[in-house]
Amino acid sequence: MYKEILVPLDGSEVSASSLPTARQMAETLGSRIHLLQVSSQTEEFSVMRGAEFGTLGSDYSQQVLDEVLTAQRDRIQRYLNEVGDDLASAGLDVVKAIEDGQAADKIVDYAEAAGVDLIIMSTHGRGGVRRFLVGSVTDKVIRSTNLPVLVIHPE
């Protein structure tokens, strides 16, 4: 039924609130869990804008950008390893992936490419104006895929 489960994470406690449900489903169904974190590169774009407007020299800014990207990917990898090791210690098959780009697009693209048949993700529960301005990655994923999406509302 659901043999490949995707759990998108962003490093927050809210996104991690989907992990117990994913773990239970994977244990019950014998599924593989795909842990995915998307690097949105907001920090990096801020550095690049500095170079664009002449506030940083281009060689220097490229070096800073490379360092920021490396540090960000290292943080993400450590986080995914920690979460993945916990799931693997329970005997689950875990795949860890990092993608760069817009979160919702990359989640949908990864799900399709990896043959995922269920996405389990949490929602930050933003409402009103903030949701309108910021948008909801969960909403965008739901609207962009034909796959079932199980949405977990954190307590």
Side-chain angles (χ1 to χ4, degrees):
M1 181 171 198
Y2 299 119
K3 293 298 178 189
E4 304 289 333
I5 298 173
L6 173 58
V7 182
L9 299 168
D10 65 10
S12 71
E13 288 183 34
V14 171
S15 74
S17 67
S18 62
L19 288 167
T21 300
R23 179 181 185 153
Q24 184 177 15
M25 287 188 74
E27 288 173 342
T28 301
L29 300 172
S31 307
R32 175 182 299 136
I33 294 181
H34 296 254
L35 301 175
L36 171 66
Q37 186 162 346
V38 178
S39 171
S40 66
Q41 301 181 356
T42 27
E43 294 174 77
E44 299 79 4
F45 290 140
S46 295
V47 172
M48 286 179 8
R49 271 187 297 203
E52 235 176 77
F53 295 111
T55 57
L56 294 172
S58 62
D59 290 341
Y60 175 76
S61 61
Q62 185 60 50
Q63 179 184 357
V64 171
L65 176 61
D66 291 343
E67 289 173 9
V68 170
L69 284 169
T70 299
Q72 183 181 44
R73 287 187 80 79
D74 289 348
R75 277 193 312 272
I76 292 170
Q77 193 62 61
R78 282 192 304 274
Y79 174 70
L80 290 177
N81 287 342
E82 180 182 317
V83 173
D85 291 350
D86 182 54
L87 294 169
S89 70
L92 295 173
D93 187 10
V94 179
V95 175
K96 298 169 273 192
I98 302 171
E99 296 284 336
D100 297 317
Q102 296 296 320
D105 295 338
K106 291 301 180 175
I107 291 166
V108 171
D109 291 347
Y110 179 91
E112 291 172 2
V116 165
D117 37 36
L118 175 66
I119 300 171
I120 300 177
M121 59 191 304
S122 63
T123 180
H124 283 271
R126 295 183 186 107
V129 174
R130 182 162 181 175
R131 183 175 180 177
F132 175 74
L133 294 174
V134 176
S136 166
V137 171
T138 304
D139 283 345
K140 290 175 187 171
V141 168
I142 290 168
R143 288 192 314 263
S144 301
T145 186
N146 292 323
L147 293 170
V149 180
L150 176 59
V151 177
I152 306 297
H153 295 277
E155 295 179 22

